[in-house]
Amino acid sequence: MNEDARLVAWVRGRVQGVGFRWYTRARALEIGRLSGFALNLDDGRVQVVAEGPRDGCQALLDWLQGDDTPGRVDGVTEIWDTPRGHYDSFAIR
């Protein structure tokens, strides 16, 4: 059984001004059944919140940590939690 989960990830590196949030949303939609958002933070990181099936959240995290993202990812810090159900879709903020 694939339980639902909430992933919150902070992505460090050259991830602003390179389409990172757009590609993150596109990847989340490609994975399917994920809702949440990608947000530029003032310190240069991008925060990604995703809720949905745990394997979908894990697939998004694997992509964030991989070599196929735009820009340059120096590291990702993540926390897992129970979903809160506040999102209808996956948005760019």
Side-chain angles (χ1 to χ4, degrees):
M1 182 172 163
N2 187 22
E3 66 185 35
D4 283 347
R6 175 184 174 91
L7 166 69
V8 182
W10 294 271
V11 185
R12 308 182 298 284
R14 191 172 150 261
V15 292
Q16 291 191 12
V18 295
F20 194 90
R21 293 176 300 152
W22 188 91
Y23 280 100
T24 300
R25 179 181 181 271
R27 183 68 182 138
L29 294 175
E30 180 181 312
I31 292 167
R33 298 178 49 209
L34 295 179
S35 60
F37 63 88
L39 168 73
N40 281 344
L41 298 176
D42 291 340
D43 62 6
R45 296 177 299 162
V46 171
Q47 180 183 19
V48 177
V49 175
E51 292 186 357
R54 187 173 186 85
D55 63 347
C57 291
Q58 184 63 55
L60 184 61
L61 178 61
D62 292 344
W63 180 81
L64 292 170
Q65 294 172 328
D67 296 330
D68 196 31
T69 60
R72 183 193 75 248
V73 174
D74 293 336
V76 179
T77 302
E78 84 270 0
I79 59 171
W80 292 88
D81 202 352
T82 56
R84 298 179 185 164
H86 297 302
Y87 315 107
D88 294 326
S89 63
F90 201 97
I92 296 171
R93 292 187 178 174

